């Protein structure tokens, strides 16, 4: 089983739709979780950290489910500019190392 | 704040030559810097972790003699791809961790290496 797994997609959704991605992780001792966004041929940019209590930033909501070992990202009222690959990142090996998922591609359609 | 730069952004070289890529944290001191490689349609793969003043820690399968990492200061790390071959063609991205911000990493814009 991979350390961090994501559905690669693509998720094709119409503008204004709500879309959710999940990311599962295998190491139950993982402590830190993040969602990054990566546009084609660009570097990843931090979207939001994921806290145990959940985290909301505008149209974006991140949740952590430790019992089932997954994190989720919910995007409401999708915009065309949300089209990107969303990377799940987990601290799975101690302080120094984080592991990236393979990413979920989102395409918002007019 | 938290800007990371990389230079060059794009390089084409002949097989057998060496290429040096610089990673700089412009407005903060980076306690740790990371080097990643990303092949098309794949995720970032960590190559090595670099702490200022000490030897880099390489991930399994990454040749330390081929990918030389020097972390000379708290704001600069370099990756040298020695004797590059076409299979080394990839997108190389560095990231830096800022003191006091836990595991958050700030990424450079990446360097696209093409080896002919």
């Amino acid at each position: 089983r991979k350390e961090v797994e994501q559905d690669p997609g693509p998720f094709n959704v119409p503008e204004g739709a709500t879309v959710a991605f999940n990311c599962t992780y295998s190491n139950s001792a993982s402590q830190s979780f993040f969602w990054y966004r990566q546009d084609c041929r660009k570097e990843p940019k931090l979207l939001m950290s994921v806290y145990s209590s959940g985290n909301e930033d505008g149209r974006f909501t991140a949740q952590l489910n430790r019992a089932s070992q997954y994190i989720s990202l919910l995007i409401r009222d999708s915009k065309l500019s949300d089209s990107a690959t969303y990377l799940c990142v987990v601290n799975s090996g101690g302080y120094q190392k984080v592991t990236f998922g393979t990413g979920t591609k989102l395409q918002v359609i007019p | 704040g938290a800007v990371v730069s990389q230079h060059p952004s794009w390089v084409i070289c002949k097989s057998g030559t060496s290429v040096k890529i610089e990673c700089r944290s412009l407005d903060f001191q980076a306690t740790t810097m990371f080097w990643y490689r990303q092949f098309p349609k794949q995720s970032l793969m960590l190559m090595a972790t670099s702490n200022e003043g000490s030897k880099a820690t390489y991930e399994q399968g990454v040749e330390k003699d081929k990918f030389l990492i020097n972390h000379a200061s708290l704001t600069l790390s370099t990756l040298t791809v020695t004797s590059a071959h076409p299979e080394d063609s990839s997108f190389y991205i560095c990231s830096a961790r800022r003191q006091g911000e836990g595991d958050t990493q700030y990424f450079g814009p990446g360097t696209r290496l093409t080896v002919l």
Side-chain angles (χ1 to χ4, degrees):
Chain A
R1 184 183 172 187
K2 288 183 181 177
E3 287 186 68
V4 180
E5 288 197 77
Q6 290 182 255
D7 182 342
F11 284 60
N12 298 312
V13 302
E15 247 183 312
T18 296
V19 62
F21 313 132
N22 280 347
C23 165
T24 59
Y25 60 94
S26 61
N27 187 342
S28 59
S30 298
Q31 293 295 319
S32 308
F33 309 89
F34 307 87
W35 283 103
Y36 278 77
R37 170 198 169 125
Q38 185 175 28
D39 293 289
C40 189
R41 293 176 173 258
K42 297 285 183 66
E43 76 277 20
K45 290 188 184 297
L46 179 65
L47 183 64
M48 56 200 313
S49 303
V50 187
Y51 305 124
S52 297
S53 56
N55 191 17
E56 186 171 323
D57 183 5
R59 299 182 292 108
F60 298 85
T61 301
Q63 297 279 353
L64 167 63
N65 186 316
R66 285 196 183 274
S68 301
Q69 293 183 206
Y70 73 87
I71 64 172
S72 64
L73 177 68
L74 180 79
I75 304 175
R76 289 180 295 276
D77 188 23
S78 299
K79 311 288 184 194
L80 295 176
S81 57
D82 294 333
S83 298
T85 296
Y86 291 83
L87 301 169
C88 164
V89 180
V90 176
N91 178 335
S92 56
Y95 181 69
Q96 294 283 11
K97 181 179 176 180
V98 295
T99 302
F100 281 79
T102 52
T104 296
K105 187 172 182 178
L106 171 66
Q107 186 69 47
V108 180
I109 304 164
Chain B
V3 178
V4 177
S5 71
Q6 268 184 254
H7 177 80
S9 56
W10 193 19
V11 58
I12 301 174
C13 69
K14 291 182 179 179
S15 186
T17 59
S18 294
V19 176
K20 180 189 277 189
I21 303 169
E22 289 187 353
C23 176
R24 293 180 186 272
S25 55
L26 297 185
D27 52 358
F28 67 99
Q29 292 187 328
T31 53
T32 306
M33 286 184 167
F34 303 86
W35 286 96
Y36 294 85
R37 182 167 52 182
Q38 186 176 34
F39 292 106
K41 300 191 178 182
Q42 294 187 27
S43 187
L44 279 74
M45 296 300 295
L46 180 65
M47 298 175 68
T49 302
S50 171
N51 290 297
E52 184 263 340
S54 61
K55 289 185 179 179
T57 302
Y58 289 80
E59 294 299 300
Q60 196 171 14
V62 179
E63 299 174 57
K64 60 182 68 176
D65 293 330
K66 179 169 181 64
F67 299 99
L68 301 178
I69 292 173
N70 185 297
H71 196 152
S73 74
L74 283 171
T75 59
L76 172 64
S77 176
T78 61
L79 168 68
T80 301
V81 183
T82 62
S83 187
H85 291 284
E87 57 266 30
D88 297 324
S89 299
S90 187
F91 191 45
Y92 292 85
I93 308 177
C94 74
S95 70
R97 179 177 282 156
R98 187 160 60 177
Q99 210 165 18
E101 291 195 21
D103 295 331
T104 301
Q105 295 183 32
Y106 297 95
F107 286 84
T111 296
R112 192 161 298 281
L113 171 64
T114 300
V115 185
L116 303 177

